[in-house]
Amino acid sequence: MKNKEKELQDIYNKIFKQSVKHMKTYDPQMVAGTLMAIAIRLYKTSLSDDGFSQMLQKVLDSEKDIKPYGDDEETIN
């Protein structure tokens, strides 16, 4: 399990770094919207219809738990 956690942190760091780079050229909402569109299509491709619906509901249910960057140790700058 530790290897999967390491892999997840690795891919997160790589995509985060690229996202910050793109935000220097493009509006942050454009970058975020593009990432959301890609993520939703990836989930739709890899999950069952029920799993996809559950995942979207989970995202909506966690709305109040999501913190903006700057509220923790990780920043966009």
Side-chain angles (χ1 to χ4, degrees), residues 35-71:
L35 291 169
M36 279 286 277
I38 292 168
I40 289 171
R41 288 190 73 185
L42 288 170
Y43 279 126
K44 185 68 172 175
T45 300
S46 63
L47 297 173
S48 66
D49 288 344
D50 189 49
F52 180 72
S53 294
Q54 289 177 17
M55 185 277 308
L56 288 178
Q57 190 60 54
K58 180 70 173 170
V59 170
L60 289 173
D61 292 344
S62 64
E63 175 184 7
K64 293 182 182 180
D65 299 327
I66 300 170
K67 295 180 179 29
Y69 287 109
D71 284 0

mmCIF file of all heavy atoms in Angstrom, residues 35-71:
data_model
loop_
_atom_site.group_PDB
_atom_site.id
_atom_site.type_symbol
_atom_site.label_atom_id
_atom_site.label_comp_id
_atom_site.label_asym_id
_atom_site.label_seq_id
_atom_site.Cartn_x
_atom_site.Cartn_y
_atom_site.Cartn_z
ATOM 1 N N LEU A 35 -8.549 20.643 -16.223
ATOM 2 C CA LEU A 35 -8.235 19.490 -15.373
ATOM 3 C C LEU A 35 -9.502 18.753 -14.953
ATOM 4 O O LEU A 35 -9.530 17.512 -14.926
ATOM 5 C CB LEU A 35 -7.437 19.930 -14.151
ATOM 6 C CG LEU A 35 -6.015 20.418 -14.421
ATOM 7 C CD1 LEU A 35 -5.435 21.077 -13.174
ATOM 8 C CD2 LEU A 35 -5.134 19.274 -14.889
ATOM 9 N N MET A 36 -10.565 19.514 -14.618
ATOM 10 C CA MET A 36 -11.839 18.885 -14.233
ATOM 11 C C MET A 36 -12.421 18.084 -15.399
ATOM 12 O O MET A 36 -12.888 16.956 -15.210
ATOM 13 C CB MET A 36 -12.856 19.946 -13.806
ATOM 14 C CG MET A 36 -12.691 20.427 -12.408
ATOM 15 S SD MET A 36 -13.249 19.220 -11.212
ATOM 16 C CE MET A 36 -14.988 19.562 -11.205
ATOM 17 N N ALA A 37 -12.388 18.662 -16.590
ATOM 18 C CA ALA A 37 -12.937 17.973 -17.760
ATOM 19 C C ALA A 37 -12.182 16.666 -18.025
ATOM 20 O O ALA A 37 -12.789 15.625 -18.296
ATOM 21 C CB ALA A 37 -12.882 18.884 -18.986
ATOM 22 N N ILE A 38 -10.871 16.726 -17.925
ATOM 23 C CA ILE A 38 -10.062 15.526 -18.133
ATOM 24 C C ILE A 38 -10.358 14.497 -17.047
ATOM 25 O O ILE A 38 -10.555 13.308 -17.333
ATOM 26 C CB ILE A 38 -8.559 15.886 -18.164
ATOM 27 C CG1 ILE A 38 -8.248 16.704 -19.419
ATOM 28 C CG2 ILE A 38 -7.692 14.626 -18.092
ATOM 29 C CD1 ILE A 38 -6.877 17.359 -19.408
ATOM 30 N N ALA A 39 -10.412 14.949 -15.790
ATOM 31 C CA ALA A 39 -10.665 14.037 -14.672
ATOM 32 C C ALA A 39 -12.024 13.347 -14.813
ATOM 33 O O ALA A 39 -12.127 12.122 -14.641
ATOM 34 C CB ALA A 39 -10.593 14.794 -13.350
ATOM 35 N N ILE A 40 -13.046 14.106 -15.132
ATOM 36 C CA ILE A 40 -14.388 13.524 -15.249
ATOM 37 C C ILE A 40 -14.433 12.496 -16.371
ATOM 38 O O ILE A 40 -15.020 11.426 -16.233
ATOM 39 C CB ILE A 40 -15.437 14.636 -15.436
ATOM 40 C CG1 ILE A 40 -15.583 15.411 -14.120
ATOM 41 C CG2 ILE A 40 -16.786 14.056 -15.860
ATOM 42 C CD1 ILE A 40 -16.411 16.661 -14.222
ATOM 43 N N ARG A 41 -13.788 12.790 -17.480
ATOM 44 C CA ARG A 41 -13.768 11.818 -18.585
ATOM 45 C C ARG A 41 -12.986 10.566 -18.212
ATOM 46 O O ARG A 41 -13.356 9.448 -18.584
ATOM 47 C CB ARG A 41 -13.198 12.454 -19.847
ATOM 48 C CG ARG A 41 -14.188 13.459 -20.448
ATOM 49 C CD ARG A 41 -13.771 13.917 -21.797
ATOM 50 N NE ARG A 41 -13.970 12.840 -22.773
ATOM 51 C CZ ARG A 41 -13.592 12.921 -24.028
ATOM 52 N NH1 ARG A 41 -12.983 14.008 -24.468
ATOM 53 N NH2 ARG A 41 -13.804 11.930 -24.856
ATOM 54 N N LEU A 42 -11.883 10.728 -17.478
ATOM 55 C CA LEU A 42 -11.118 9.562 -17.026
ATOM 56 C C LEU A 42 -11.960 8.692 -16.095
ATOM 57 O O LEU A 42 -11.962 7.458 -16.204
ATOM 58 C CB LEU A 42 -9.826 9.992 -16.328
ATOM 59 C CG LEU A 42 -8.732 10.546 -17.237
ATOM 60 C CD1 LEU A 42 -7.615 11.168 -16.398
ATOM 61 C CD2 LEU A 42 -8.179 9.459 -18.142
ATOM 62 N N TYR A 43 -12.671 9.338 -15.145
ATOM 63 C CA TYR A 43 -13.553 8.581 -14.254
ATOM 64 C C TYR A 43 -14.665 7.892 -15.040
ATOM 65 O O TYR A 43 -14.986 6.726 -14.800
ATOM 66 C CB TYR A 43 -14.175 9.486 -13.190
ATOM 67 C CG TYR A 43 -13.262 9.767 -12.021
ATOM 68 C CD1 TYR A 43 -12.981 11.081 -11.646
ATOM 69 C CD2 TYR A 43 -12.708 8.738 -11.270
ATOM 70 C CE1 TYR A 43 -12.160 11.348 -10.563
ATOM 71 C CE2 TYR A 43 -11.881 9.000 -10.187
ATOM 72 C CZ TYR A 43 -11.618 10.302 -9.832
ATOM 73 O OH TYR A 43 -10.812 10.570 -8.756
ATOM 74 N N LYS A 44 -15.260 8.585 -15.988
ATOM 75 C CA LYS A 44 -16.348 8.005 -16.796
ATOM 76 C C LYS A 44 -15.847 6.801 -17.585
ATOM 77 O O LYS A 44 -16.570 5.824 -17.775
ATOM 78 C CB LYS A 44 -16.918 9.075 -17.740
ATOM 79 C CG LYS A 44 -18.116 8.642 -18.532
ATOM 80 C CD LYS A 44 -19.307 8.438 -17.632
ATOM 81 C CE LYS A 44 -20.567 8.181 -18.459
ATOM 82 N NZ LYS A 44 -21.712 7.860 -17.630
ATOM 83 N N THR A 45 -14.601 6.862 -18.011
ATOM 84 C CA THR A 45 -14.005 5.774 -18.781
ATOM 85 C C THR A 45 -13.682 4.563 -17.909
ATOM 86 O O THR A 45 -13.849 3.420 -18.332
ATOM 87 C CB THR A 45 -12.715 6.265 -19.481
ATOM 88 O OG1 THR A 45 -13.061 7.344 -20.357
ATOM 89 C CG2 THR A 45 -12.049 5.159 -20.274
ATOM 90 N N SER A 46 -13.244 4.808 -16.673
ATOM 91 C CA SER A 46 -12.731 3.708 -15.855
ATOM 92 C C SER A 46 -13.698 3.172 -14.800
ATOM 93 O O SER A 46 -13.433 2.121 -14.216
ATOM 94 C CB SER A 46 -11.432 4.138 -15.164
ATOM 95 O OG SER A 46 -11.674 5.215 -14.290
ATOM 96 N N LEU A 47 -14.813 3.860 -14.553
ATOM 97 C CA LEU A 47 -15.773 3.410 -13.547
ATOM 98 C C LEU A 47 -17.062 2.906 -14.186
ATOM 99 O O LEU A 47 -17.401 3.306 -15.308
ATOM 100 C CB LEU A 47 -16.120 4.570 -12.595
ATOM 101 C CG LEU A 47 -14.989 5.137 -11.748
ATOM 102 C CD1 LEU A 47 -15.478 6.386 -11.013
ATOM 103 C CD2 LEU A 47 -14.472 4.101 -10.771
ATOM 104 N N SER A 48 -17.781 2.083 -13.453
ATOM 105 C CA SER A 48 -19.122 1.693 -13.886
ATOM 106 C C SER A 48 -20.025 2.924 -13.790
ATOM 107 O O SER A 48 -19.657 3.925 -13.167
ATOM 108 C CB SER A 48 -19.673 0.591 -12.969
ATOM 109 O OG SER A 48 -19.860 1.109 -11.655
ATOM 110 N N ASP A 49 -21.205 2.858 -14.373
ATOM 111 C CA ASP A 49 -22.135 3.982 -14.290
ATOM 112 C C ASP A 49 -22.453 4.316 -12.836
ATOM 113 O O ASP A 49 -22.468 5.483 -12.446
ATOM 114 C CB ASP A 49 -23.426 3.683 -15.054
ATOM 115 C CG ASP A 49 -23.231 3.711 -16.568
ATOM 116 O OD1 ASP A 49 -22.203 4.252 -17.036
ATOM 117 O OD2 ASP A 49 -24.112 3.191 -17.278
ATOM 118 N N ASP A 50 -22.677 3.282 -12.025
ATOM 119 C CA ASP A 50 -22.975 3.491 -10.611
ATOM 120 C C ASP A 50 -21.771 4.070 -9.881
ATOM 121 O O ASP A 50 -21.902 4.998 -9.078
ATOM 122 C CB ASP A 50 -23.413 2.171 -9.961
ATOM 123 C CG ASP A 50 -23.934 2.376 -8.557
ATOM 124 O OD1 ASP A 50 -24.790 3.268 -8.360
ATOM 125 O OD2 ASP A 50 -23.485 1.643 -7.649
ATOM 126 N N GLY A 51 -20.596 3.541 -10.163
ATOM 127 C CA GLY A 51 -19.377 4.050 -9.542
ATOM 128 C C GLY A 51 -19.127 5.499 -9.914
ATOM 129 O O GLY A 51 -18.700 6.302 -9.071
ATOM 130 N N PHE A 52 -19.400 5.847 -11.155
ATOM 131 C CA PHE A 52 -19.229 7.223 -11.618
ATOM 132 C C PHE A 52 -20.175 8.166 -10.866
ATOM 133 O O PHE A 52 -19.762 9.214 -10.376
ATOM 134 C CB PHE A 52 -19.467 7.300 -13.126
ATOM 135 C CG PHE A 52 -19.311 8.681 -13.703
ATOM 136 C CD1 PHE A 52 -18.062 9.262 -13.834
ATOM 137 C CD2 PHE A 52 -20.421 9.389 -14.134
ATOM 138 C CE1 PHE A 52 -17.919 10.534 -14.375
ATOM 139 C CE2 PHE A 52 -20.283 10.659 -14.670
ATOM 140 C CZ PHE A 52 -19.034 11.239 -14.793
ATOM 141 N N SER A 53 -21.431 7.760 -10.746
ATOM 142 C CA SER A 53 -22.417 8.574 -10.019
ATOM 143 C C SER A 53 -22.031 8.736 -8.557
ATOM 144 O O SER A 53 -22.143 9.823 -7.986
ATOM 145 C CB SER A 53 -23.810 7.951 -10.121
ATOM 146 O OG SER A 53 -24.262 7.990 -11.445
ATOM 147 N N GLN A 54 -21.551 7.656 -7.944
ATOM 148 C CA GLN A 54 -21.123 7.714 -6.543
ATOM 149 C C GLN A 54 -19.929 8.651 -6.371
ATOM 150 O O GLN A 54 -19.859 9.412 -5.393
ATOM 151 C CB GLN A 54 -20.777 6.322 -6.033
ATOM 152 C CG GLN A 54 -21.975 5.432 -5.838
ATOM 153 C CD GLN A 54 -21.570 4.025 -5.408
ATOM 154 O OE1 GLN A 54 -20.452 3.786 -4.969
ATOM 155 N NE2 GLN A 54 -22.497 3.078 -5.545
ATOM 156 N N MET A 55 -19.004 8.618 -7.315
ATOM 157 C CA MET A 55 -17.825 9.468 -7.238
ATOM 158 C C MET A 55 -18.233 10.940 -7.332
ATOM 159 O O MET A 55 -17.767 11.769 -6.542
ATOM 160 C CB MET A 55 -16.841 9.113 -8.362
ATOM 161 C CG MET A 55 -15.522 9.862 -8.314
ATOM 162 S SD MET A 55 -15.488 11.519 -9.049
ATOM 163 C CE MET A 55 -16.158 11.248 -10.655
ATOM 164 N N LEU A 56 -19.116 11.267 -8.273
ATOM 165 C CA LEU A 56 -19.566 12.652 -8.410
ATOM 166 C C LEU A 56 -20.292 13.114 -7.148
ATOM 167 O O LEU A 56 -20.099 14.253 -6.696
ATOM 168 C CB LEU A 56 -20.476 12.808 -9.630
ATOM 169 C CG LEU A 56 -19.792 12.731 -10.989
ATOM 170 C CD1 LEU A 56 -20.838 12.844 -12.101
ATOM 171 C CD2 LEU A 56 -18.738 13.801 -11.152
ATOM 172 N N GLN A 57 -21.106 12.248 -6.583
ATOM 173 C CA GLN A 57 -21.825 12.596 -5.361
ATOM 174 C C GLN A 57 -20.852 12.833 -4.207
ATOM 175 O O GLN A 57 -21.027 13.741 -3.403
ATOM 176 C CB GLN A 57 -22.841 11.518 -4.989
ATOM 177 C CG GLN A 57 -23.776 11.928 -3.868
ATOM 178 C CD GLN A 57 -24.587 13.171 -4.212
ATOM 179 O OE1 GLN A 57 -25.252 13.223 -5.244
ATOM 180 N NE2 GLN A 57 -24.522 14.191 -3.367
ATOM 181 N N LYS A 58 -19.818 12.011 -4.135
ATOM 182 C CA LYS A 58 -18.793 12.161 -3.097
ATOM 183 C C LYS A 58 -18.117 13.527 -3.209
ATOM 184 O O LYS A 58 -17.867 14.192 -2.204
ATOM 185 C CB LYS A 58 -17.761 11.033 -3.210
ATOM 186 C CG LYS A 58 -16.668 11.070 -2.204
ATOM 187 C CD LYS A 58 -17.179 10.728 -0.835
ATOM 188 C CE LYS A 58 -16.031 10.606 0.145
ATOM 189 N NZ LYS A 58 -16.491 10.513 1.510
ATOM 190 N N VAL A 59 -17.838 13.955 -4.435
ATOM 191 C CA VAL A 59 -17.229 15.269 -4.650
ATOM 192 C C VAL A 59 -18.177 16.362 -4.147
ATOM 193 O O VAL A 59 -17.762 17.265 -3.414
ATOM 194 C CB VAL A 59 -16.867 15.494 -6.136
ATOM 195 C CG1 VAL A 59 -16.470 16.935 -6.402
ATOM 196 C CG2 VAL A 59 -15.760 14.542 -6.564
ATOM 197 N N LEU A 60 -19.446 16.270 -4.514
ATOM 198 C CA LEU A 60 -20.412 17.271 -4.065
ATOM 199 C C LEU A 60 -20.556 17.274 -2.547
ATOM 200 O O LEU A 60 -20.627 18.332 -1.922
ATOM 201 C CB LEU A 60 -21.778 17.010 -4.710
ATOM 202 C CG LEU A 60 -21.873 17.296 -6.196
ATOM 203 C CD1 LEU A 60 -23.218 16.838 -6.742
ATOM 204 C CD2 LEU A 60 -21.659 18.765 -6.478
ATOM 205 N N ASP A 61 -20.571 16.099 -1.938
ATOM 206 C CA ASP A 61 -20.729 15.985 -0.492
ATOM 207 C C ASP A 61 -19.526 16.536 0.279
ATOM 208 O O ASP A 61 -19.653 16.902 1.441
ATOM 209 C CB ASP A 61 -20.964 14.530 -0.078
ATOM 210 C CG ASP A 61 -22.313 13.997 -0.547
ATOM 211 O OD1 ASP A 61 -23.187 14.810 -0.912
ATOM 212 O OD2 ASP A 61 -22.482 12.760 -0.552
ATOM 213 N N SER A 62 -18.368 16.579 -0.358
ATOM 214 C CA SER A 62 -17.161 17.046 0.334
ATOM 215 C C SER A 62 -16.877 18.525 0.061
ATOM 216 O O SER A 62 -15.807 19.025 0.421
ATOM 217 C CB SER A 62 -15.956 16.185 -0.079
ATOM 218 O OG SER A 62 -15.692 16.338 -1.450
ATOM 219 N N GLU A 63 -17.823 19.225 -0.507
ATOM 220 C CA GLU A 63 -17.643 20.636 -0.871
ATOM 221 C C GLU A 63 -17.100 21.475 0.284
ATOM 222 O O GLU A 63 -16.176 22.277 0.106
ATOM 223 C CB GLU A 63 -18.977 21.214 -1.350
ATOM 224 C CG GLU A 63 -18.944 22.693 -1.640
ATOM 225 C CD GLU A 63 -20.301 23.251 -2.012
ATOM 226 O OE1 GLU A 63 -21.313 22.525 -1.931
ATOM 227 O OE2 GLU A 63 -20.344 24.437 -2.378
ATOM 228 N N LYS A 64 -17.633 21.292 1.480
ATOM 229 C CA LYS A 64 -17.220 22.116 2.630
ATOM 230 C C LYS A 64 -15.857 21.715 3.175
ATOM 231 O O LYS A 64 -15.246 22.469 3.919
ATOM 232 C CB LYS A 64 -18.272 22.044 3.723
ATOM 233 C CG LYS A 64 -19.554 22.711 3.295
ATOM 234 C CD LYS A 64 -20.602 22.701 4.359
ATOM 235 C CE LYS A 64 -21.808 23.371 3.736
ATOM 236 N NZ LYS A 64 -22.941 23.516 4.470
ATOM 237 N N ASP A 65 -15.354 20.551 2.802
ATOM 238 C CA ASP A 65 -14.059 20.079 3.280
ATOM 239 C C ASP A 65 -12.905 20.527 2.394
ATOM 240 O O ASP A 65 -11.747 20.404 2.787
ATOM 241 C CB ASP A 65 -14.047 18.545 3.365
ATOM 242 C CG ASP A 65 -15.082 18.026 4.331
ATOM 243 O OD1 ASP A 65 -15.358 18.709 5.345
ATOM 244 O OD2 ASP A 65 -15.632 16.931 4.079
ATOM 245 N N ILE A 66 -13.201 21.043 1.216
ATOM 246 C CA ILE A 66 -12.159 21.436 0.256
ATOM 247 C C ILE A 66 -11.667 22.824 0.607
ATOM 248 O O ILE A 66 -12.454 23.771 0.722
ATOM 249 C CB ILE A 66 -12.693 21.380 -1.189
ATOM 250 C CG1 ILE A 66 -13.141 19.959 -1.518
ATOM 251 C CG2 ILE A 66 -11.622 21.868 -2.168
ATOM 252 C CD1 ILE A 66 -13.902 19.830 -2.818
ATOM 253 N N LYS A 67 -10.370 22.936 0.796
ATOM 254 C CA LYS A 67 -9.768 24.212 1.187
ATOM 255 C C LYS A 67 -8.981 24.795 0.015
ATOM 256 O O LYS A 67 -8.352 24.066 -0.736
ATOM 257 C CB LYS A 67 -8.835 24.002 2.378
ATOM 258 C CG LYS A 67 -9.576 23.550 3.622
ATOM 259 C CD LYS A 67 -8.637 23.356 4.772
ATOM 260 C CE LYS A 67 -9.316 22.932 6.044
ATOM 261 N NZ LYS A 67 -10.512 22.173 5.988
ATOM 262 N N PRO A 68 -8.997 26.118 -0.126
ATOM 263 C CA PRO A 68 -8.202 26.742 -1.191
ATOM 264 C C PRO A 68 -6.715 26.657 -0.870
ATOM 265 O O PRO A 68 -6.325 26.509 0.295
ATOM 266 C CB PRO A 68 -8.674 28.196 -1.186
ATOM 267 C CG PRO A 68 -9.217 28.423 0.181
ATOM 268 C CD PRO A 68 -9.736 27.098 0.663
ATOM 269 N N TYR A 69 -5.895 26.751 -1.888
ATOM 270 C CA TYR A 69 -4.452 26.807 -1.663
ATOM 271 C C TYR A 69 -4.146 28.059 -0.869
ATOM 272 O O TYR A 69 -4.781 29.082 -1.022
ATOM 273 C CB TYR A 69 -3.687 26.787 -2.987
ATOM 274 C CG TYR A 69 -3.713 25.437 -3.639
ATOM 275 C CD1 TYR A 69 -4.455 25.199 -4.781
ATOM 276 C CD2 TYR A 69 -3.009 24.379 -3.094
ATOM 277 C CE1 TYR A 69 -4.485 23.945 -5.364
ATOM 278 C CE2 TYR A 69 -3.033 23.122 -3.665
ATOM 279 C CZ TYR A 69 -3.775 22.917 -4.803
ATOM 280 O OH TYR A 69 -3.809 21.673 -5.361
ATOM 281 N N GLY A 70 -3.155 27.949 -0.008
ATOM 282 C CA GLY A 70 -2.805 29.052 0.873
ATOM 283 C C GLY A 70 -3.309 28.820 2.288
ATOM 284 O O GLY A 70 -2.839 29.441 3.223
ATOM 285 N N ASP A 71 -4.292 27.909 2.458
ATOM 286 C CA ASP A 71 -4.809 27.575 3.784
ATOM 287 C C ASP A 71 -3.993 26.469 4.441
ATOM 288 O O ASP A 71 -4.267 26.058 5.545
ATOM 289 C CB ASP A 71 -6.271 27.125 3.704
ATOM 290 C CG ASP A 71 -7.216 28.295 3.507
ATOM 291 O OD1 ASP A 71 -6.734 29.440 3.425
ATOM 292 O OD2 ASP A 71 -8.432 28.062 3.452
#
